[in-house]
Amino acid sequence: MITCYIGLGANLNNPEQQILDALNALQQLPQTELTAVSSLYGSKPLGPQDQPDYLNAVAQLATTLEPLALLDALQAQELAQGRERKRHWGERNIDLDIILYGDLQLRSERLNLPHHEMHKRSFVLLPLAEINPQLVLPDGRAIATITPEFDGQLHRLKRLWH
Ligand code: ROI
């Protein structure tokens, strides 16, 4: 099994329910176990500011799905939840991104691993560190050394799991 981390983000059409529906879908994936979920966080939009604030969370999976099979499943779930591409970095019902897939480093047209913006995003790094404070990124950096500069940029709202 490979440990991977999925970033969840939503800011339209009852974002909390969108996140819960997506977590349910992750739990139903074949060859996959949902092994941890961060708290739910509120964040200011990165990108255009004339859109609602976001809810964010990160889920940890143990899976034997290949990266592109996992990506296909996540994109199908985004469509099932009515995601439409309105504008670049704009509002959405749900966004499901593979943040890390084990230690895999991959640059391809469809998929970049680790997610190439993860090091800049409080709404990815802080929930990730909550789930696994010992995490070492594929480039050898410990997550705990990166997160302090992002403290205070995110509001922890509630527990979603256990
Ligand atoms: N901003 C926040 N706060 N949270 C997100 O999940 C998010 N996702 C995105 C963009 C539009 C870049 N901004 C975001 O894809």
Side-chain angles (χ1 to χ4, degrees):
M1 295 291 252
I2 306 290
T3 300
C4 61
Y5 294 91
I6 309 299
L8 299 91
N11 73 342
L12 281 186
N13 297 316
N14 194 349
E16 182 170 348
Q17 192 59 49
Q18 299 286 348
I19 300 266
L20 293 174
D21 289 352
L23 288 170
N24 254 315
L26 294 180
Q27 216 152 10
Q28 318 282 325
L29 287 177
Q31 299 171 232
T32 303
E33 266 178 76
L34 179 63
T35 46
V37 180
S38 73
S39 297
L40 186 66
Y41 291 84
S43 59
K44 293 281 166 206
L46 175 68
Q49 294 298 298
D50 61 337
Q51 60 178 318
D53 287 355
Y54 277 80
L55 292 180
N56 285 107
V58 169
Q60 183 189 57
L61 306 179
T63 191
T64 56
L65 289 175
E66 296 294 329
L68 288 176
L70 180 59
L71 181 64
D72 286 340
L74 297 180
Q75 291 184 344
Q77 183 58 26
E78 290 178 342
L79 286 178
Q81 290 187 227
R83 173 157 177 190
E84 301 169 46
R85 289 196 181 270
K86 294 186 172 149
R87 54 175 172 163
H88 184 60
W89 280 21
E91 51 282 347
R92 66 277 312 274
N93 286 359
I94 191 73
D95 189 20
L96 298 171
D97 289 335
I98 308 175
I99 304 298
L100 294 169
Y101 183 94
D103 282 332
L104 183 62
Q105 306 198 37
L106 173 70
R107 294 282 172 253
S108 72
E109 185 141 343
R110 277 194 75 199
L111 188 58
N112 286 294
L113 293 167
H115 188 287
H116 61 316
E117 296 273 296
M118 71 169 289
H119 306 89
K120 301 184 208 161
R121 296 186 171 185
S122 60
F123 55 84
V124 171
L125 293 170
L126 297 177
L128 197 53
E130 178 195 353
I131 296 178
N132 185 355
Q134 319 297 335
L135 185 68
V136 176
L137 302 179
D139 68 5
R141 283 193 291 170
I143 189 124
T145 66
I146 307 174
T147 46
E149 63 174 295
F150 295 94
D151 278 351
Q153 291 187 20
L154 211 59
H155 316 280
R156 202 183 75 87
L157 298 172
K158 63 161 90 163
R159 233 178 258 278
L160 290 171
W161 169 268
H162 299 318

Coordinates of all heavy atoms in Angstrom, one line a residue, residues 8-10 42-48 51 53-56 83 88-92 95 97 121 123 154, ligand 1:
L8 N -8.6 18.7 -0.2 CA -10.0 19.0 -0.5 C -10.2 20.5 -0.3 O -9.8 21.1 0.7 CB -10.9 18.2 0.4 CG -10.8 16.7 0.4 CD1 -9.9 16.2 1.4 CD2 -12.2 16.0 0.6
G9 N -10.9 21.1 -1.3 CA -11.2 22.5 -1.1 C -12.6 22.7 -1.8 O -13.0 22.1 -2.8
A10 N -13.4 23.7 -1.1 CA -14.7 23.9 -1.6 C -15.1 25.4 -1.2 O -14.8 25.8 -0.1 CB -15.7 22.9 -1.1
G42 N -11.0 27.0 7.6 CA -11.5 28.1 6.7 C -10.3 28.9 6.3 O -9.4 29.1 7.0
S43 N -10.4 29.3 5.0 CA -9.2 30.1 4.4 C -9.7 31.1 3.5 O -10.8 31.0 2.8 CB -8.2 29.1 3.7 OG -8.9 28.4 2.7
K44 N -9.0 32.2 3.4 CA -9.2 33.3 2.4 C -8.8 32.7 1.0 O -7.8 31.9 0.9 CB -8.4 34.5 2.7 CG -8.8 35.2 3.9 CD -10.0 36.1 3.7 CE -10.6 36.5 5.0 NZ -12.1 36.8 4.8
P45 N -9.5 33.1 0.0 CA -9.2 32.6 -1.4 C -7.8 33.0 -1.8 O -7.4 34.1 -1.6 CB -10.2 33.2 -2.3 CG -10.9 34.2 -1.6 CD -10.7 34.0 -0.1
L46 N -7.1 32.0 -2.3 CA -5.8 32.3 -3.1 C -6.3 32.5 -4.5 O -7.0 31.6 -5.0 CB -4.9 31.1 -2.9 CG -3.6 31.1 -3.7 CD1 -2.7 32.2 -3.2 CD2 -2.9 29.8 -3.7
G47 N -5.9 33.6 -5.1 CA -6.5 33.8 -6.5 C -7.5 35.0 -6.4 O -7.4 35.8 -5.4
P48 N -8.4 35.1 -7.3 CA -9.3 36.2 -7.3 C -10.0 36.4 -6.0 O -10.4 35.4 -5.4 CB -10.3 35.8 -8.4 CG -9.6 34.9 -9.3 CD -8.6 34.2 -8.5
Q51 N -14.5 36.0 -4.6 CA -15.2 34.7 -4.5 C -15.2 34.4 -3.0 O -14.5 35.0 -2.2 CB -14.4 33.7 -5.3 CG -12.9 33.5 -4.8 CD -12.2 32.3 -5.6 OE1 -12.8 31.3 -5.8 NE2 -11.0 32.6 -5.9
D53 N -14.9 32.7 0.7 CA -13.9 32.0 1.5 C -14.0 30.5 1.2 O -15.1 30.0 0.9 CB -14.0 32.3 3.0 CG -13.5 33.7 3.3 OD1 -13.0 34.4 2.4 OD2 -13.6 34.1 4.4
Y54 N -12.9 29.8 1.4 CA -12.9 28.4 1.2 C -13.0 27.6 2.5 O -12.6 28.1 3.6 CB -11.5 28.0 0.5 CG -11.5 28.1 -1.0 CD1 -11.3 29.4 -1.5 CD2 -11.7 27.1 -1.8 CE1 -11.3 29.6 -2.9 CE2 -11.7 27.2 -3.2 CZ -11.5 28.5 -3.7 OH -11.5 28.7 -5.1
L55 N -13.5 26.4 2.4 CA -13.2 25.3 3.4 C -12.2 24.4 2.8 O -12.3 24.0 1.6 CB -14.5 24.6 3.7 CG -15.6 25.4 4.5 CD1 -16.8 24.6 4.7 CD2 -15.0 26.0 5.8
N56 N -11.3 24.0 3.7 CA -10.2 23.0 3.2 C -10.0 21.9 4.3 O -10.3 22.1 5.4 CB -8.9 23.8 3.0 CG -8.9 24.6 1.8 OD1 -8.9 25.8 1.8 ND2 -8.8 23.9 0.7
R83 N -18.9 19.9 -10.4 CA -17.8 20.9 -10.6 C -17.9 21.4 -12.1 O -18.0 20.7 -13.0 CB -16.5 20.4 -10.3 CG -15.4 21.3 -10.7 CD -14.1 21.1 -10.0 NE -13.1 22.1 -10.6 CZ -11.9 22.0 -10.3 NH1 -11.4 21.1 -9.5 NH2 -11.0 22.9 -10.8
H88 N -10.1 30.5 -14.3 CA -8.8 30.0 -13.7 C -8.8 30.5 -12.2 O -9.0 31.7 -11.9 CB -7.7 30.6 -14.5 CG -6.3 30.1 -14.0 ND1 -6.0 28.8 -14.0 CD2 -5.3 30.8 -13.5 CE1 -4.8 28.7 -13.5 NE2 -4.3 29.8 -13.2
W89 N -8.5 29.6 -11.3 CA -8.4 29.9 -9.9 C -9.7 30.5 -9.3 O -9.7 31.3 -8.4 CB -7.2 30.8 -9.6 CG -5.9 30.0 -9.5 CD1 -5.7 28.8 -10.1 CD2 -4.7 30.4 -8.9 NE1 -4.4 28.4 -9.8 CE2 -3.8 29.3 -9.1 CE3 -4.3 31.5 -8.1 CZ2 -2.5 29.4 -8.6 CZ3 -3.0 31.5 -7.6 CH2 -2.1 30.5 -7.9
G90 N -10.8 30.1 -9.9 CA -12.1 30.6 -9.5 C -12.8 29.7 -8.5 O -12.2 28.7 -8.1
E91 N -14.0 30.1 -8.2 CA -14.8 29.3 -7.2 C -15.2 27.9 -7.8 O -15.3 27.7 -9.0 CB -16.1 30.1 -6.9 CG -16.9 30.6 -8.1 CD -16.3 31.8 -8.8 OE1 -15.4 32.5 -8.3 OE2 -16.7 32.1 -10.0
R92 N -15.4 27.0 -6.9 CA -15.8 25.6 -7.3 C -16.5 24.9 -6.1 O -16.2 25.2 -5.0 CB -14.5 24.8 -7.7 CG -13.5 24.5 -6.7 CD -12.4 25.6 -6.4 NE -11.8 26.2 -7.5 CZ -10.7 25.7 -8.1 NH1 -10.2 24.6 -7.7 NH2 -10.2 26.3 -9.2
D95 N -12.8 20.7 -5.1 CA -11.5 20.5 -5.8 C -10.8 19.3 -5.0 O -10.7 19.4 -3.8 CB -10.7 21.8 -5.6 CG -9.4 21.8 -6.5 OD1 -9.3 21.0 -7.4 OD2 -8.6 22.6 -6.2
D97 N -7.3 17.3 -5.0 CA -5.9 17.3 -5.6 C -5.1 16.2 -4.9 O -5.1 16.1 -3.7 CB -5.2 18.6 -5.4 CG -5.8 19.8 -6.2 OD1 -6.3 19.5 -7.3 OD2 -5.6 20.9 -5.8
R121 N 1.2 26.8 0.2 CA -0.2 26.8 0.5 C -0.5 26.4 2.0 O -0.4 25.3 2.3 CB -1.1 26.0 -0.4 CG -1.0 26.5 -1.8 CD -1.9 25.7 -2.8 NE -1.9 26.4 -4.1 CZ -2.7 26.0 -5.1 NH1 -3.5 25.0 -5.0 NH2 -2.7 26.7 -6.2
F123 N -3.3 26.2 3.4 CA -4.5 25.3 3.5 C -4.2 23.9 3.1 O -5.0 23.0 3.2 CB -5.7 25.9 2.7 CG -5.4 26.2 1.3 CD1 -5.5 25.2 0.3 CD2 -5.0 27.5 0.9 CE1 -5.3 25.5 -1.0 CE2 -4.8 27.8 -0.5 CZ -4.9 26.8 -1.4
L154 N -4.7 30.4 8.8 CA -5.8 29.4 8.6 C -6.6 29.3 9.9 O -6.0 29.4 10.9 CB -5.2 28.1 8.3 CG -5.9 27.1 7.3 CD1 -6.1 27.7 6.0 CD2 -5.0 25.9 7.2
Ligands
ROI1 N1 -7.8 29.1 -2.1 C1 -8.1 28.5 -0.9 N2 -8.1 29.3 0.2 N3 -8.4 27.2 -0.8 C2 -8.4 26.4 -1.9 O1 -8.6 25.2 -1.8 C3 -8.1 27.0 -3.1 N4 -8.0 26.2 -4.3 C4 -7.7 26.8 -5.5 C5 -7.4 28.2 -5.6 C6 -8.4 28.8 -6.6 C7 -6.0 28.4 -6.2 N5 -7.5 29.0 -4.4 C8 -7.8 28.4 -3.2 O2 -7.6 25.9 -6.5

